[in-house]
Amino acid sequence: MCGIAGATNIALPDLDAMRRRLDHRGPDDHGLWRDEDSGAALAQTRLAVIDLSPGGHQPMASPCGRWVVVFNGEIYNYRALRAELEAKGETFATASDTEVLLRLLMRQGEAALDQLVGMFAVALWDRHECSLLLVRDRFGVKPLVWAALPGGHLAFASEIHALAACPGVDLGLDHRAVSDYLACLYVPAPRTIHAGIAKLEPGHLLRWRNGSWDIRRWWSPPFTGGRPIRHDEAVEELIPLVRQAVVDRLVSDVPVGCFLSGGIDSSVIAALMAEEARRQGAPPIRTFTMTFDAAAYDERDAAAQVAAHVGSHHTELPASPGIAGRLDAMVRHFGEPFGNPTALLIDDLSRLARQHVTVALVGDGGDEIFAGYPRYQGGLLAERAARLLPVWLRRGVVAPLAGLIPESSSGRHAFRRAREFLGSLGLAADERYASWVEYFDPAERAALLGGAEAGRPLAALYRAVAGADALDAMQQTDLLSFLPGNLLSYGDAMSMAHALELRLPLLDHRLAEAVGAIQAATRFAFGKKSLLKAVARRLLPAEIVDRPKLGFNPPMGLWLQRELKPMVAERLTPARLEELGLRWPPVERLLAEQRSGRRDHSLKVWALLVLEAWQRQQGGAPSPC
């Protein structure tokens, strides 16, 4: 695990300036390398996890000197791959997964990617061809951003903030990205907030040579399920895959723990970690739970029950006081506006857990792979309603009445979900799904930014992936947008701010491919996450498996009423909004509805605070319009 950076032509002092902005990701070592013939250079900051010796130092060159690699992530099956290479005559100088990756790429090129089990962002320089290969892992667990430079050159880095230090990068504002941010609360790939910086999308690679480059997808999420199989048969097939995914992610030369919420995803992971520890005669596993004073958000009792069942060494980590005030620090780590406040919790949890372990397994991805979100159930119900109810009834009667449904600002979402569901029944499937997962709708964004209404960015993605089954389309859309752009983005940024490595067993591609091939009717045979719940019943008591999902979210409504109230009053003013290029009247209405309790706009208010903080940190950057 580390941070990487480089360019096809750059001076070492400039590259070192980029590298220093990644030091938090890799406090154990760093390295720079430059090809004097071409001017290409690579940099890395290292968090030592596998092979703690100097042998894991990067950039790493091949024995012949032709290839040089920098790599952020882990290859979990590196030992098996190494054995295969040794059988073919390869010899190794280190015990690192980096050397295995390098030798595999030397032998097989891009074809080697299909053999990798892991999370990774890779840069490989070929000195003979003067070419650069950039690769991002299948789901986008590890970030990678890039920029075109004058003269046809190219630069890249793990983080926007590091790439911004490279001379020649266009840091102008991408106006479309501002609109997309307000819609999604993150900037969807491949855009970033800067016109000249792009995200390499998950499952994609970029090859640069002689001033030109091409980008292609090397892996796609597999949710086009059509395989007929009974639910019980599917469960039997998935159990060993889930177990293997967890066991593979225990490979480490440093302490490993688990973030435990008490929900199904993390509970299954903790149970399988504990099972493997007992098999190996190892000490009890370490588990960590964040606790809150507000009972509606606190899962300490549920997590403690799971910890007791699996026999873990369990630690409760109280959320730090004043956590909401870390807004400015959070924004700096993302390098662009990012509006999901759960990032603050991951930041705090990672900081506290890093005092005990260097690696933590987490349950992220379980809802996307095993269909755990309430909106999946809503999507299937809406499809049924569209077949049964005439359009005039859905649009002319149901939708207007839905607008009368009140809601709570205390973290309970049932009324809001009911209003959104009923109000969207008159929309096409793509617009309906986008309306559930986007925040500022097209009319609200037009009122804020001026000009014509922009489309829904996620509706276009839904249309592009839509297949015969609504569940396939919803899961595929989330795997290409919400998962990498939101969950994985804050997981990496906030954990690596404290040099803590997060590993995600439920995003093992072998497991995902097996689940995605199963027909949707089986995946959702007994409702949300039914396949994973059936796996969990083999490992955990029924009272744990059947416990209602709480979710890991901050009490944003309460924060806005309390500690964030002065910040809202100070920063969201007519004058400041004008500087941001945003119209004041729609913001004034939004704040009034939030204060009165008529609507829960807490995430929208937070998104505006984040945008204001990011713009202020730019030191006079141009306004959105």
Side-chain angles (χ1 to χ4, degrees):
M1 185 66 71
C2 63
I4 62 174
T8 56
N9 192 329
I10 190 171
L12 277 181
D14 293 330
L15 180 62
D16 197 40
M18 296 170 65
R19 190 272 307 167
R20 287 196 299 273
R21 293 189 176 191
L22 296 171
D23 279 348
H24 55 279
R25 300 182 68 92
D28 297 326
D29 187 22
H30 68 267
L32 300 171
W33 172 89
R34 188 171 189 269
D35 182 357
E36 295 301 329
D37 294 330
S38 66
L42 305 175
Q44 188 242 22
T45 63
R46 183 186 182 202
L47 174 64
V49 173
I50 293 175
D51 186 2
L52 308 186
S53 75
H57 177 81
Q58 298 181 40
M60 181 178 288
S62 63
C64 64
R66 174 177 176 177
W67 292 277
V68 184
V69 72
V70 286
F71 154 56
N72 171 27
E74 307 291 353
I75 307 301
Y76 303 122
N77 64 331
Y78 79 98
R79 289 171 178 160
L81 293 173
R82 174 177 174 139
E84 293 174 9
L85 290 170
E86 287 175 331
K88 296 175 182 177
E90 289 282 358
T91 58
F92 290 84
T94 77
S96 71
D97 58 340
T98 304
E99 187 179 13
V100 174
L101 173 63
L102 176 58
R103 299 297 182 92
L104 203 62
L105 289 170
M106 288 164 49
R107 277 180 169 261
Q108 301 179 19
E110 296 171 11
L113 302 176
D114 293 333
Q115 300 181 52
L116 303 179
V117 178
M119 54 181 184
F120 44 87
V122 181
L124 179 73
W125 179 255
D126 185 332
R127 296 184 67 196
H128 289 188
E129 293 188 355
C130 288
S131 66
L132 176 69
L133 175 67
L134 301 179
V135 183
R136 193 172 178 201
D137 66 60
R138 296 172 178 87
F139 289 104
V141 180
K142 293 290 99 186
L144 192 58
V145 292
W146 65 279
L149 300 177
H153 288 286
L154 182 146
F156 68 89
S158 294
E159 297 183 5
I160 292 172
H161 183 58
L163 189 52
C166 179
V169 172
D170 177 7
L171 298 179
L173 192 70
D174 184 331
H175 298 282
R176 166 71 181 278
V178 176
S179 178
D180 286 355
Y181 162 73
L182 292 172
C184 302
L185 302 195
Y186 60 89
V187 179
R191 282 185 165 85
T192 72
I193 199 67
H194 297 292
I197 298 179
K199 300 179 179 88
L200 186 62
E201 295 181 79
H204 281 69
L205 60 82
L206 181 155
R207 184 174 286 280
W208 177 95
R209 187 180 182 188
N210 294 331
S212 63
W213 58 87
D214 65 278
I215 299 173
R216 70 172 182 87
R217 177 178 288 279
W218 67 272
W219 187 85
S220 297
F223 281 78
T224 53
R227 179 187 172 208
I229 183 175
R230 295 202 319 266
H231 192 273
D232 59 337
E233 293 174 336
V235 172
E236 292 300 326
E237 291 185 6
L238 294 177
I239 288 173
L241 291 175
V242 176
R243 176 175 286 109
Q244 190 64 52
V246 172
V247 171
D248 284 350
R249 282 155 183 79
L250 297 178
V251 57
S252 175
D253 295 323
V254 294
V256 178
C258 176
F259 286 179
L260 181 60
S261 68
I264 291 294
D265 303 337
S266 62
S267 297
V268 166
I269 292 169
L272 290 171
M273 289 176 67
E275 178 185 277
E276 179 66 10
R278 289 191 295 270
R279 190 186 70 81
Q280 294 187 1
I285 66 168
R286 298 293 306 268
T287 53
F288 304 92
T289 297
M290 175 162 277
T291 62
F292 300 91
D293 293 334
Y297 298 87
D298 189 71
E299 292 188 283
R300 75 182 74 191
D301 292 341
Q305 183 182 8
V306 177
H309 178 77
V310 305
S312 69
H313 176 187
H314 188 57
T315 303
E316 294 180 351
L317 302 172
S320 300
I323 187 175
R326 288 187 52 79
L327 164 64
D328 293 328
M330 181 202 78
V331 171
R332 278 192 292 273
H333 281 294
F334 284 98
E336 67 178 355
F338 183 85
N340 186 340
T342 301
L344 291 174
L345 305 186
I346 297 298
D347 175 61
D348 200 38
L349 179 56
S350 298
R351 180 182 62 81
L352 297 169
R354 185 62 174 87
Q355 300 170 25
H356 306 274
V357 295
T358 308
V359 175
L361 274 61
V362 298
D364 291 5
D367 285 314
E368 289 80 8
I369 299 299
F370 290 97
Y373 291 122
R375 59 179 176 264
Y376 297 151
Q377 197 163 32
L380 297 176
L381 288 173
E383 290 285 302
R384 193 176 307 166
R387 293 192 297 268
L388 297 175
L389 302 178
V391 174
W392 67 264
L393 181 60
R394 287 181 276 130
R395 292 181 179 174
V397 178
V398 176
L401 289 176
L404 302 177
I405 298 175
E407 64 184 88
S408 165
S409 60
S410 62
R412 302 301 185 184
H413 305 302
F415 285 145
R416 174 183 57 79
R417 286 173 177 158
R419 188 186 71 249
E420 292 176 347
F421 172 78
L422 294 172
S424 67
L425 288 181
L427 301 176
D430 58 323
E431 293 288 327
R432 179 175 60 237
Y433 192 68
S435 74
W436 296 347
V437 295
E438 294 180 7
Y439 291 85
F440 288 94
D441 65 31
E444 289 174 320
R445 283 180 280 140
L448 277 169
L449 299 170
E453 287 190 14
R456 294 186 181 275
L458 298 187
L461 181 58
Y462 187 103
R463 289 192 296 273
V465 305
D469 191 276
L471 186 62
D472 288 342
M474 290 185 288
Q475 289 188 260
Q476 190 88 334
T477 299
D478 281 351
L479 287 166
L480 293 171
S481 57
F482 182 78
L483 177 71
N486 193 333
L487 301 188
L488 300 184
S489 182
Y490 72 62
D492 177 85
M494 297 293 92
S495 63
M496 291 308 295
H498 306 285
L500 178 74
E501 176 175 297
L502 298 187
R503 298 180 176 181
L504 299 82
L506 299 183
L507 289 183
D508 186 292
H509 75 277
R510 300 163 299 184
L511 174 62
E513 289 170 354
V515 175
I518 297 169
Q519 62 184 359
T522 300
R523 299 203 307 271
F524 218 75
F526 302 101
K528 296 176 296 180
K529 214 177 285 188
S530 62
L531 286 172
L532 188 60
K533 286 183 179 179
V535 172
R537 293 185 195 283
R538 306 290 185 89
L539 303 166
L540 299 161
E543 60 267 24
I544 293 176
V545 178
D546 296 328
R547 182 185 295 117
K549 179 182 176 70
L550 183 57
F552 189 53
N553 299 301
M556 182 53 63
L558 296 176
W559 284 357
L560 289 174
Q561 296 171 21
R562 298 172 185 172
E563 51 259 60
L564 288 177
K565 189 175 181 178
M567 185 184 291
V568 171
E570 175 190 348
R571 299 187 180 186
L572 300 186
T573 64
R576 186 63 184 125
L577 268 292
E578 183 179 353
E579 293 175 7
L580 289 171
L582 301 178
R583 277 55 174 173
W584 170 248
V587 177
E588 185 179 31
R589 287 194 298 272
L590 181 146
L591 293 174
E593 289 183 350
Q594 176 72 25
R595 285 193 295 266
S596 69
R598 292 196 305 272
R599 286 287 185 267
D600 181 7
H601 294 309
S602 55
L603 288 179
K604 293 179 179 179
V605 175
W606 177 256
L608 294 174
L609 287 172
V610 168
L611 184 60
E612 188 278 338
W614 175 82
Q615 199 268 358
R616 185 162 29 82
Q617 290 178 10
Q618 302 312 296
S623 63
C625 294

